[in-house]
Amino acid sequence: MTITEALQAARALGVARLDAQWLLEHLLARPRTWLLAHDDCELTPAQAAQIRSLLARRAAGQPLAYLVGEREFRGLALQVSPAVLVPRPETELLVEWALECLPAKAEADVVDLGCGSGAIALAVQRERPLARVTASDASAEALAVARANALRHGLAVLFVQGDWWAPLRGRRFALALCNPPYVAGDDPHLAALAHEPRGALTPEGDGLAALRCVVQGAPAHLLPGACLLLEHGHDQAAAVQQMLLGAGFATPETRHDLAGLARCTGARWPGAK
Ligand code: GLN
């Protein structure tokens, strides 16, 4: 099988050409320009078998990131597996907002709840080396991926296992970040996301349960003047603002992603509780 034949096989399976090229780049450890210049290069039998299997898995809807085992997030190449959600570009909005809240030279305690691959925690730690970042996740498999990513990038994030605030008893933070599962349990989009961990996408029901849990637990874990920043679904901003006001937060603000969708809501904690 040549590279051209592999691309033809992709086409027959309905796999996008760019996806097939990306798989070939990873499999052969060659850049796209090399693939284009060597399209008559014969794959070894093992490589041909591997690309056939990768193309079949892609055609069955598996995310590219799982097939190549990594995804880039804010310039960090992160290992991903089916134990974690694939980091989304829109989540960079939450990181940008977090960086605004953290002066570059300030030491501060920061927490990322439900860290998955570690994308948010690691991006913040890399860009704010003086911050002391802690990240929690209920899943041991997810934490193993996040720890591997921290090691790979030499970032000293502290990882703890448990639901939301549970493993952080007695600790208070200057900044709390969370991209919880927020898709409603009956959202038809879940079908297209079936290869990702369902528990990382949806808390079931109306999609608000995890956000509610994080907001309600926040006052006991925030320092006076701390910020709580949350990612949520495009139609959940009003509900999240109400939750924040109900828990005693001041003046919630909602920010929009590049697609113009309400994507993150945050607020400042006025005092200790
Ligand atoms: N934004 C993701 C999606 O719709 C959902 C991520 C999440 O639930 N935190 O694919």
Side-chain angles (χ1 to χ4, degrees), residues 85 88 90 179-183 193 200-201 231 263:
L85 207 66
R88 311 287 206 260
E90 60 266 27
N179 173 17
Y182 53 69
V183 180
L193 305 172
L201 286 163
E231 181 174 317
R263 176 61 60 197

Side-chain angles (χ1 to χ4, degrees), residues 2-236:
T2 64
I3 286 172
T4 300
E5 285 162 354
L7 292 173
Q8 284 164 353
R11 193 190 183 128
L13 287 166
V15 172
R17 190 176 176 85
L18 277 174
D19 288 5
Q21 284 174 324
W22 183 239
L23 292 171
L24 282 163
E25 281 177 57
H26 272 262
L27 181 64
L28 305 176
R30 302 279 193 179
R32 183 156 311 198
T33 44
W34 186 92
L35 296 182
L36 295 173
H38 299 82
D39 58 358
D40 57 352
C41 172
E42 248 333 294
L43 304 182
T44 66
Q47 288 168 338
Q50 275 174 298
I51 194 68
R52 276 198 196 92
S53 148
L54 288 167
L55 290 171
R57 289 164 66 197
R58 182 68 192 130
Q62 291 201 24
L64 261 188
Y66 292 161
L67 299 181
V68 299
E70 67 174 37
R71 170 56 50 96
E72 191 182 295
F73 181 80
R74 265 191 91 80
L76 279 175
L78 297 176
Q79 176 193 325
V80 293
S81 81
V84 299
L85 207 66
V86 176
R88 311 287 206 260
E90 60 266 27
T91 299
E92 297 192 8
L93 180 67
L94 190 72
V95 172
E96 281 155 24
W97 196 352
L99 296 176
E100 276 177 39
C101 295
L102 279 180
K105 298 218 171 92
E107 292 183 23
D109 285 297
V110 178
V111 67
D112 173 20
L113 301 167
C115 66
S117 65
I120 296 169
L122 295 171
V124 170
Q125 184 69 81
R126 187 175 62 145
E127 293 176 64
R128 291 289 182 271
L130 295 180
R132 291 175 297 259
V133 181
T134 299
S136 74
D137 205 285
S139 155
E141 292 80 21
L143 283 175
V145 173
R147 284 199 176 99
N149 282 321
L151 207 61
R152 174 174 183 176
H153 293 286
L155 294 167
V157 168
L158 173 69
F159 293 100
V160 293
Q161 189 179 356
D163 276 322
W164 311 122
W165 297 105
L168 300 160
R169 189 181 295 265
R171 291 197 59 195
R172 287 187 185 266
F173 299 88
L175 174 63
L177 307 167
C178 182
N179 173 17
Y182 53 69
V183 180
D186 62 357
D187 190 312
H189 295 106
L190 284 172
L193 305 172
H195 294 275
E196 295 185 86
R198 185 173 171 97
L201 286 163
T202 176
E204 306 300 339
D206 64 1
L208 292 169
L211 285 158
R212 205 171 281 124
C213 180
V214 169
V215 171
Q216 285 173 357
H221 294 281
L222 295 180
L223 294 163
C227 280
L228 171 62
L229 307 181
L230 305 158
E231 181 174 317
H232 53 70
H234 67 93
D235 54 357
Q236 293 171 331

